[in-house]
Each structure stands twice: as C-alpha cells, then as structure tokens.
Amino acid sequence: MENRYLRALAAGLLGSTGLVATSHSAIAQEKEPLFYYGVTVEQLEYRIGRNSDVYAWDGDALAGTDDLKLRLQSKGEYEKDSSAFETLENQLLLQTPISTFFDAKAGVRYDMPRGYDRLYGVLGVQGLAPQWFEIDADLFLSEKGDVSARLDAEYELLITNRIILTPAAEIDFAFSEDTEAEVGAGLSTAELGLRLSYDLIDRAVSPYVGVHYERAFGDTASFRRADGADVDELFLVIGTRLLF
C-alpha cells in the first residue's frame, strides 16, 4: 500500500502555518499538474515454512497526477518444492482522491487461484485511517457473478529513524461459494505478518526479517484439505522493501 504519511503531514503543516495560502492559487493557474511515477515493492521475500518454502512478492507501479493515477498491482506466492504458483494476482486500477487522506479506486483483477483462473471487477478505497493506519478495502465481482471482499491493514511503528516494526493483516471474505476457484462462502482466508526492517538507503532499500502466518477457514479450508494442502502455515521470512 502507498505510504502517504510524510506527504499528508507536510500538507497539514503548510496549510496550518499559512505559508502557501497567498500563492497557491497563482501557482495552480501557471503550472500544469505534476506528473509522477514510481515502483514500490512492499514485500520481496523468502518464506521458510514447516513443510515448504515459498518465494513471495507484493508490489505496485503507478503513473499519473495527484488527481488521477494509473496503478498496476501484483502479488504472488511461488512454492519452491513443487515449482508452482500457489497464488498469482494482478490488478489494473484507476485511482483518484475522495478526501484528504483517502482515494477511491476502480479497475480489474486477474488471478490464478487454486482451481480455475478468475477475472474480477474491483471497487475500493485506500488511504490513512486515524492513528496512521494504512487501510486498503476492496469489493470484487467475478466473471461468474460471485462477490467477495478484502480488508488489508498495516501500521509502521518507528523504533528509530531507520528501524521500523510493521504489523500487517489481510482478511478475505466471500459472499458466495466459488467451487471452481476453491473459495467457500464466509470468512475464507486470513494472513498476519510482523516484519522488522532497517532503512539501509533512505527508504529506497529496507531489508527485513519477520514472521508470516496464513490460515484458511470454513469450506475454503475443506477444499485445501481435499487437495492435500495445508490449512494453516507459519513462516519465518527474510526479504527487502524497495522503492524506486
């Protein structure tokens, strides 16, 4: 998720001191909207588990202005022993501000779950909640008409200027059963993580270590048992966060 802590804080400080109040209108009329782009890889890691090791990533690339951005998100898990993807998900989204701290987003998602591939429509919000929690909430509508939702929350606790402890949680909920994609109705999966990182080169390169826990619930867990897969797994993780 995009971390807007410094940008939001700077905007609040400038606005409260009045430093930009007299010139903001004139500058806005003279200059075109600032175009920017970048790539953020929140997780690029190796997970060491009881029964298998996994390569995993979660990142995005964006381009646009403060008013409208195009974002490509990608996340996946590749199991080392079976040499196969456990999950692979990509999203292409348009994103625009709806308040000082939150953006609305809409687009498409394509993923390769356990079972058949799926195409989804996406509608969601992303931003900073009170106390600087990063929130990403999405609603998905699959090509088969199945509706599901996801809540992703993360918090960066600064131990020092360079050492950061990041707890994170991701919860998936399905409103109907998708047997082909092996997703049961109700709470389907949850992921919890705790990572301790060190900003080696500003915030551009931040190696980390931590733990990651995954669990499936209800019929989703039953599908995995039938496949001979684990219902829950605890991993030690070694990785790095990258910002370009």
Side-chain angles (χ1 to χ4, degrees), residues 39-117:
V39 176
T40 301
V41 182
E42 291 286 349
Q43 296 175 10
L44 182 62
E45 61 191 33
Y46 183 66
R47 299 176 181 172
I48 305 168
R50 297 189 305 265
N51 302 316
S52 64
D53 294 348
V54 174
Y55 300 100
W57 72 91
D58 186 353
D60 63 72
L62 65 86
T65 67
D66 283 332
D67 295 325
L68 184 65
K69 294 185 284 288
L70 179 66
R71 181 184 295 274
L72 174 63
Q73 295 181 331
S74 178
K75 62 184 300 184
E77 299 174 346
Y78 185 85
E79 188 173 322
K80 178 182 177 182
D81 293 341
S82 62
S83 299
F85 285 101
E86 287 192 348
T87 60
L88 178 59
E89 175 186 311
N90 296 290
Q91 295 188 36
L92 184 63
L93 306 165
L94 285 175
Q95 187 170 324
T96 187
I98 55 174
S99 70
T100 304
F101 295 102
F102 274 89
D103 289 355
K105 55 183 181 177
V108 294
R109 163 188 160 192
Y110 183 75
D111 62 344
M112 300 166 59
R114 301 170 185 269
Y116 288 75
D117 296 353

Side-chain angles (χ1 to χ4, degrees), residues 11-194:
L13 289 173
L14 290 174
S16 63
T17 56
L19 293 177
V20 297
T22 57
S23 60
H24 177 75
S25 178
I27 292 175
Q29 293 177 1
E30 293 175 4
K31 293 186 177 180
E32 294 294 329
L34 180 64
F35 182 87
Y36 61 95
Y37 57 91
V39 176
T40 301
V41 182
E42 291 286 349
Q43 296 175 10
L44 182 62
E45 61 191 33
Y46 183 66
R47 299 176 181 172
I48 305 168
R50 297 189 305 265
N51 302 316
S52 64
D53 294 348
V54 174
Y55 300 100
W57 72 91
D58 186 353
D60 63 72
L62 65 86
T65 67
D66 283 332
D67 295 325
L68 184 65
K69 294 185 284 288
L70 179 66
R71 181 184 295 274
L72 174 63
Q73 295 181 331
S74 178
K75 62 184 300 184
E77 299 174 346
Y78 185 85
E79 188 173 322
K80 178 182 177 182
D81 293 341
S82 62
S83 299
F85 285 101
E86 287 192 348
T87 60
L88 178 59
E89 175 186 311
N90 296 290
Q91 295 188 36
L92 184 63
L93 306 165
L94 285 175
Q95 187 170 324
T96 187
I98 55 174
S99 70
T100 304
F101 295 102
F102 274 89
D103 289 355
K105 55 183 181 177
V108 294
R109 163 188 160 192
Y110 183 75
D111 62 344
M112 300 166 59
R114 301 170 185 269
Y116 288 75
D117 296 353
R118 280 290 180 267
L119 179 67
Y120 299 83
V122 182
L123 187 63
V125 293
Q126 175 180 327
L128 281 174
Q131 307 303 319
W132 308 112
F133 282 91
E134 296 182 46
I135 299 295
D136 197 341
D138 295 301
L139 192 65
F140 306 109
L141 176 63
S142 80
E143 59 189 289
K144 298 294 185 178
D146 294 301
V147 179
S148 58
R150 175 183 296 161
L151 178 63
D152 194 341
E154 183 177 292
Y155 184 77
E156 291 188 350
L157 177 62
L158 273 68
I159 298 176
T160 70
N161 287 336
R162 289 183 176 270
I163 301 175
I164 301 172
L165 183 65
T166 306
E170 182 181 293
I171 299 173
D172 284 278
F173 187 91
F175 294 94
S176 57
E177 186 171 286
D178 187 344
T179 305
E180 292 180 344
E182 299 188 349
V183 175
L187 178 62
S188 53
T189 60
E191 298 185 15
L192 302 175
L194 186 66

Side-chain angles (χ1 to χ4, degrees), residues 155 165-168 192-196 208-213 237:
Y155 184 77
L165 183 65
T166 306
L192 302 175
L194 186 66
R195 293 167 174 83
L196 183 67
Y208 61 79
V209 295
V211 292
H212 181 85
Y213 177 72
V237 301

